[in-house]
Structures are given as structure tokens and as C-alpha cells.
Amino acid sequence: SDLATKRLGLGPMRSDLASPALQQWLPKTMRRFADQTGAGGFSFDYTYFEQGSPGGRPWRSQYAQWSGWRAILAALQQPKACAGRQCVVDNRQANHAWGPWMWAEGGTYAEPLQSDEQPGSWMFYEADLKTDRLSANRQRETAWSYRVQSFAPAEVVPGFALHQTDRDVSPAQKNVTAGPGCPRGGGTGRCAELSRRRDFDLLGYRYSLLSAVGTGGANLVLNMLPARDEGEFAAFPAEDVAFFRQWLEWADRSRDLVASTRVLPSTSRPAAGSLDGVSLLRQDGSCTGAIFAFSPTATPLNL
């Protein structure tokens, strides 16, 4: 109750990530949940380490909380923690600021876009009519930052393909939410029915998928599937299904190449009007492998 909260002087009731008891109880409980349900992993969003609380009682140091959360996540990385298999641990908001020591032991991969994945939450650097292309440019910029600035190994760099449906709709769509088709929308644009409209970017997805495979092939996340609308699902071209399978299977078969991903030395950070790319070369001296080069602009660029 509000009275109890005020009496305790804690502000909102929260868990203390620096608590050894919580560090044992939480992953143990989650592993039991996975055993009972067959869950393959867990996802975490909005994890913050606060130095003080609104009620005036200081929390433990931010380092103690960071270390505690790392211990909790690392406990989920045991080989058979999720129903006999290693858990997939998906970390999101604020994870990019935790540093490579957290990424190496505290999850499957780092935060895909270094922000909320909503298209309205990050700024594009090159105008484009296709949301998948804008998202792909942001994903490569993030992968570059992890790889070059934080020295993150390929095993924890995320590949984030396709896009999240934009929650901030257009004026025309907002009018739809005020009508009978969206009784709970109230004209605000936030409508579950509207978000399930046919939103797969059929003309932009290949660029996005190849961006993810090339720069983050160890952790491929497909953020949009043509499965919410039955008509869109039924009409999805067989050749595009084959394209997806071809590159996902290539990434699985080419784990040795994926692990050797390096930024092409002749290219810069992904940016407007600039070519960027990576090399994936075998380390056996054969100089065989693959090169992925990307241009975010419509202007021809030379490698």
C-alpha cells in the first residue's frame, strides 16, 4: 500500500540486485520454470542500476548491482540450464552500456540497436523509403560500435533483421483507430488490431537480412515475420522463403567464418554516403571466405 511504502521509505518496492540471496533465488527459480515448461530462454528489458531511491534509502553501489546482475545472468548460461539445453538470454534496454564483460558472461548477445527497437526511438542517418533498410543501417552501425569500440567478439555481436512495427502511426492510420475497427484505440494510434496489419517489408528485407548475416551472423534475430495476418502469410512468395532459409542455413554452416568477422580496413563506420563492410576469412591460411559490402545511399560507391 502507499502507507506501507511511505513508512518503509523505499519508494517503489524493488529487488536488490546486489543481494546474494536474490542472486541465488532468481536464476534457480527461472531454471525450474524452464524445466517445467520447456522454455528455451529468457528476455530482459529495462534493467537499471540506481545509486539512490526516491524514498531516500540508498541502494548498494552501482558496481555491486552490476556485478550481481552479471552473476544472475551467468547462472543461466550453464550448459543445460533450460530444459537440458543452454538458455538463450536476450538482453535489451540499457544492456549496451553494461560493457563487454557483461556481454561475455551475462547473455547470448548484446542489445541489438543500442536503444529501444521502435523505429521512433532511434535516428536514421540516411533517408530511405524502406523501414527494413533504415533498421539495417542502424544494426550495422551498432555492430561496428561493439566490434571496433568495445572489442566485442563475434560470438556476442547481435544480428537484428527486419523491423518492429512502428507504434507512432500516420494521421491516416490514427483516423482508423478512432473508428469501430479499433474500439480501444480512442484515436490515439495505439491499436492492437492496426499493429497486425500487413507490415512485412517485402522490398527491403533482403538488404536487412544480409546486413544481419554479414555483421552479426552468430546471433540472428528475426524481428518481423509475415504471420500476424493470415492473408499475408498465405501469399508470402515461396522464393522469399527460400531466400531466408538459404542465408540462415549458410550462417549455421559457416560458423568458422562468422567467428572471424572483421571490419574492412578500407571502410568507415556506417554513415550517410559511405560504404561499409566486413570480411569473413578462414584462419587456415587459405584466404578463402566472404566479403559483405553495404551502401546506405542510392549513389554508386566504389569499394
Side-chain angles (χ1 to χ4, degrees):
S1 67
D2 292 340
L3 180 61
T5 299
K6 185 175 181 180
R7 185 185 304 119
L8 291 172
L10 294 175
M13 299 297 290
R14 307 179 186 184
S15 300
D16 184 355
L17 295 175
S19 167
L22 180 68
Q23 293 169 27
Q24 295 181 24
W25 175 83
L26 184 57
K28 182 178 180 179
T29 301
M30 297 180 77
R31 290 196 300 265
R32 287 179 174 175
F33 174 84
D35 287 340
Q36 290 294 320
T37 63
F42 301 93
S43 182
F44 299 98
D45 202 359
Y46 285 92
T47 303
Y48 296 100
F49 312 123
E50 299 176 338
Q51 197 66 42
S53 67
R57 175 190 174 189
W59 297 102
R60 313 206 197 170
S61 73
Q62 287 183 323
Y63 176 78
Q65 297 172 64
W66 177 91
S67 180
W69 184 235
R70 181 169 173 256
I72 290 171
L73 295 180
L76 296 175
Q77 293 292 289
Q78 297 177 11
K80 297 183 179 182
C82 278
R85 304 180 63 181
Q86 184 171 0
C87 299
V88 174
V89 178
D90 177 289
N91 287 306
R92 296 299 170 109
Q93 190 83 351
N95 172 262
H96 66 277
W98 297 349
W101 287 112
M102 176 71 79
W103 310 330
E105 293 191 17
T108 303
Y109 49 82
E111 186 179 1
L113 298 184
Q114 294 186 339
S115 71
D116 190 296
E117 287 75 45
Q118 255 298 308
S121 297
W122 42 266
M123 179 53 65
F124 58 86
Y125 56 78
E126 182 86 24
D128 201 295
L129 294 176
K130 295 301 173 184
T131 305
D132 271 10
R133 287 178 55 87
L134 295 176
S135 183
N137 292 338
R138 173 69 177 185
Q139 178 268 320
R140 295 199 316 281
E141 182 183 24
T142 298
W144 183 95
S145 175
Y146 285 140
R147 184 167 280 121
V148 175
Q149 296 180 314
S150 299
F151 308 110
E155 288 79 3
V156 300
V157 174
F160 189 77
L162 316 181
H163 74 280
Q164 188 178 104
T165 298
D166 198 337
R167 73 163 68 100
D168 296 319
V169 299
S170 68
Q173 291 172 318
K174 188 172 289 189
N175 291 334
V176 174
T177 69
C182 185
R184 295 180 298 280
T188 64
R190 306 296 175 88
C191 177
E193 288 85 349
L194 193 62
S195 71
R196 291 179 174 81
R197 292 289 177 89
R198 300 170 185 180
D199 192 37
F200 189 85
D201 189 351
L202 196 61
L203 299 181
Y205 86 87
R206 294 191 178 208
Y207 179 86
S208 180
L209 179 61
L210 291 177
S211 290
V213 170
T215 62
N219 302 291
L220 292 174
V221 179
L222 301 183
N223 193 43
M224 161 67 70
L225 293 174
R228 288 183 170 181
D229 181 276
E230 186 175 353
E232 182 181 41
F233 175 78
F236 197 74
E239 64 183 88
D240 293 296
V241 174
F243 187 86
F244 265 106
R245 287 178 174 168
Q246 171 192 343
W247 284 104
L248 294 179
E249 291 173 358
W250 181 89
D252 285 340
R253 293 195 313 268
S254 308
R255 299 295 288 182
D256 59 330
L257 292 179
V258 170
S260 68
T261 304
R262 301 288 187 275
V263 172
L264 286 175
S266 61
T267 61
S268 63
R269 179 185 187 129
S274 298
L275 196 74
D276 63 272
V278 292
S279 64
L280 294 75
L281 299 178
R282 293 185 173 85
Q283 303 300 302
D284 58 6
S286 65
C287 291
T288 59
I291 289 179
F292 288 80
F294 302 94
S295 172
T297 182
T299 303
L301 299 173
N302 295 322
L303 180 61

